[in-house]
Amino acid sequence: MVGKVGRVLFVDQWDEQIAWVNPERLYATNAEFSDLDPQSQKRLTRLISIDKIREFAVLCDKLIDKEERARIESVDFLSRVPVGVYQFRILVPNGMESEEKVCEIFVYDNLLKSYQNMIANIPGMFSARRAELENAGEELTDEELWGMSDNCKVCFFEDVAPYLAFNIEDIDNLIRYYFQTSMVPTFYKLQDREKYDVDALARHIVVNRMDPIRQKQYIQ
C-alpha cells in the first residue's frame, strides 16, 4: 500500500510541475501517426518532448542512485524514443463524482512485446469479473484494481529490462479502461522514428564537417 501511495504522489507532483505545458490531445482512431495531419503530428512531438523532460528531471535528481543513473544513461538514444502510444480516456473518481482523464502511454522497444501480450490477455483475465460487477451494478475498487495491476506486472513485465519509462499507473489505467468500456485501447505506431535519433544526427554533422550555418539548416 505504501508503494501505491508513493507512486500516486510522484505522478501528482509531476502534474503540478508540468501544468504550464498543456498540449492539445490527439484523438484519432485506426490510424498511424504518419497518416495524421501536420498539426496532430506536431502535438505528438510535443507530448514526446514532455516525456523526455520528465526523464531528464529524474536523471538530474540528486537522490537517484549512481548505479541507476549510469544504467539509464547507458541506454542508446533511439531506445529512449517511443515506438508508439496507447491513447484513451477513462473516468476516475473525484470525491462523490467522476472526472474524465486522458491517458497517453508511451511504449518503448523494451516494453512493446510486454504491452502487446498484456493487451491480448486482458479480456481473458478479467471478462468474468467485469461481468459480475456489471450485473451487480458495482464498480471496480482501487484495492482490487491495484491487485490486478500487480498481477499483470508479474505476468507480463517481470523479465523486462528495467527502464525509466515503465509506470505501474499505466497498467492501472489500461485495466480501468477495459472495465469501463469492455475494450482494449488502440496502439498508434510512431512512424519515421529514426528521424529522432540525435546520435545519428550528431554523427552526420561531424562526418560532413558542417559549419554552424549548415548545422542549423540540417537540424531544422
Side-chain angles (χ1 to χ4, degrees):
M1 184 64 182
V2 174
K4 301 295 183 180
V5 173
R7 84 184 189 212
V8 171
L9 289 177
F10 177 81
V11 173
D12 289 344
Q13 288 167 359
W14 259 106
D15 286 342
E16 295 174 2
Q17 295 298 325
I18 64 170
W20 53 273
V21 184
N22 185 25
E24 296 179 43
R25 302 302 183 175
L26 173 68
Y27 301 116
T29 56
N30 300 321
E32 291 188 340
F33 284 124
S34 59
D35 299 325
L36 301 177
D37 62 86
Q39 283 300 109
S40 295
Q41 293 180 358
K42 184 176 180 180
R43 288 194 289 271
L44 168 64
T45 302
R46 293 174 66 191
L47 288 172
I48 294 175
S49 297
I50 291 172
D51 198 56
K52 297 301 97 184
I53 292 172
R54 185 196 310 264
E55 179 182 277
F56 178 74
V58 174
L59 285 173
C60 291
D61 190 336
K62 295 180 180 179
L63 298 179
I64 193 170
D65 181 79
K66 290 183 178 180
E67 293 183 2
E68 178 74 358
R69 180 197 294 263
R71 182 187 60 75
I72 295 173
E73 289 178 340
S74 68
V75 178
D76 68 273
F77 185 83
L78 194 57
S79 295
R80 299 171 184 261
V81 177
V83 295
V85 59
Y86 289 103
Q87 187 182 69
F88 51 94
R89 302 181 184 186
I90 58 175
L91 293 176
V92 294
N94 183 18
M96 299 297 294
E97 300 179 351
S98 295
E99 62 181 17
E100 188 175 69
K101 176 181 179 180
V102 177
C103 302
E104 284 116 357
I105 302 176
F106 290 107
V107 180
Y108 295 79
D109 283 325
N110 66 317
L111 299 174
L112 179 60
K113 186 175 181 180
S114 293
Y115 271 113
Q116 289 174 335
N117 288 339
M118 189 186 75
I119 290 292
N121 282 279
I122 278 180
M125 293 173 69
F126 303 128
S127 60
R129 180 55 179 156
R130 184 185 180 278
E132 289 177 359
L133 291 173
E134 188 173 40
N135 291 334
E138 299 175 355
E139 296 183 358
L140 189 68
T141 65
D142 285 343
E143 289 73 16
E144 187 173 8
L145 171 66
W146 292 340
M148 292 175 174
S149 294
D150 288 339
N151 185 41
C152 284
K153 181 180 178 181
V154 171
C155 291
F156 304 109
F157 295 89
E158 193 71 12
D159 296 329
V160 173
Y163 185 66
L164 186 64
F166 178 76
N167 188 343
I168 188 67
E169 189 195 18
D170 292 336
I171 310 304
D172 294 351
N173 293 336
L174 281 170
I175 295 173
R176 195 184 295 274
Y177 178 77
Y178 174 73
F179 271 83
Q180 292 180 0
T181 66
S182 75
M183 299 184 297
V184 293
T186 300
F187 180 73
Y188 300 97
K189 184 178 179 181
L190 176 62
Q191 298 295 304
D192 298 325
R193 179 167 165 259
E194 66 278 0
K195 293 181 180 179
Y196 293 90
D197 189 350
V198 295
D199 290 338
L201 300 181
R203 284 194 297 271
H204 182 83
I205 290 172
V206 172
V207 169
N208 290 276
R209 300 181 179 180
M210 292 183 175
D211 59 43
I213 294 177
R214 291 176 62 205
Q215 287 183 31
K216 183 176 180 181
Q217 292 174 341
Y218 175 66
I219 292 172
Q220 287 179 340

